Every structure is written in C-alpha cells, then in structure tokens.
Amino acid sequence: MIEDIDEKCVSYIRTVTQVTKMLQGKWTLQILCAMRNSPVRLGQLTRMIPAASKKALRSNLRALEDAEIVVRRDLSSKVLHVEYDFSDTMRETLGDLLDHLESWGKILEGKTKDTEKKVPWK
C-alpha cells in the first residue's frame, strides 16, 4: 500500500517537474498567455512582449512547436502570413492551467496587499 503511494508520488513529481521545465523558458509563459484567446503572429508577440527580441520569441516558439504545444500555420499566399496557436491536444488543458495560474496570482497579490509586503518577483 505504501509502495503504491510512493509510486504515485514519484510519478506526480516527475510529471509536474516536466511541465515546470517546459514553462521555464524566459518568454514561454508570456507567449502562451498572449495566445490564450486566439492565434498570434510574430509581429503581434513583439508588440505584446516588447522586452523580448524577435530572435528570443522565435526560439521559444520553435521549442513549443517541438514539444507539440504550439502549431505553426503558414497561411501565406502572396504575402508571408504565419500564425501560432495551441495544438488541439493542448488547447483545453493549457487554457485551464493559465486560468489557474491567474487565479493563484490574484490570491498572492491580495495577500501581499493585505500584509503590505512586496512580491519578490516584482
């Protein structure tokens, strides 16, 4: 019985660690949040995340593509038009994850206002 609990715990830790490693890219979360409601183009991302270079955004987008989290759609005809969006298999779970992170952030923000402490990441 205890061995079953330990195996479940180890599996849980491994899975959560894998996800957190994926999200640790410098601009990864910002990119995912930007495409939360609709597909985005690279130019849109550069306007939404002005501190990130196009090179850094492209690199993160490629990593997300390789992980099959994001899909790149080439909608070009005469003019280059590429959009990035969540893959169908990731859309719902990623949306839920981002919504939960937002809720958690609001809770943390409220606690820091109540105690008048600054959040360490600001």
Side-chain angles (χ1 to χ4, degrees):
M1 177 92 174
I2 291 177
E3 289 177 11
D4 289 340
I5 293 172
D6 288 345
E7 286 178 32
K8 287 179 184 177
C9 185
V10 168
S11 174
Y12 183 84
I13 291 168
R14 187 179 315 117
T15 304
V16 171
T17 300
Q18 181 181 4
V19 170
T20 55
K21 281 182 181 179
M22 175 55 63
L23 296 176
Q24 285 179 351
K26 186 166 183 179
W27 304 108
T28 303
L29 273 174
Q30 291 88 337
I31 291 168
L32 294 175
C33 288
M35 62 176 64
R36 170 68 176 93
N37 295 314
S38 64
V40 294
R41 296 177 69 179
L42 182 60
Q44 289 175 292
L45 285 175
T46 57
R47 288 188 296 278
M48 296 168 95
I49 312 168
S53 69
K54 278 189 177 185
K55 181 180 177 182
L57 291 172
R58 270 193 211 104
S59 174
N60 276 269
L61 286 165
R62 283 190 189 115
L64 290 167
E65 281 181 82
D66 290 345
E68 298 179 357
I69 293 171
V70 168
V71 292
R72 179 183 189 271
R73 292 194 179 100
D74 188 348
L75 305 171
S76 301
S77 55
K78 293 181 181 180
V79 178
L80 181 64
H81 182 111
V82 175
E83 289 183 344
Y84 297 90
D85 197 6
F86 293 144
S87 66
D88 290 338
T89 57
M90 295 291 173
R91 183 178 313 284
E92 186 177 342
T93 54
L94 261 175
D96 291 345
L97 174 63
L98 294 171
D99 291 346
H100 287 296
L101 287 173
E102 179 194 29
S103 297
W104 188 23
K106 287 179 178 178
I107 291 168
L108 292 174
E109 191 175 73
K111 286 184 177 196
T112 57
K113 285 180 183 175
D114 292 343
T115 59
E116 295 189 26
K117 293 181 184 175
K118 287 191 174 188
V119 253
W121 54 87
K122 284 190 175 183

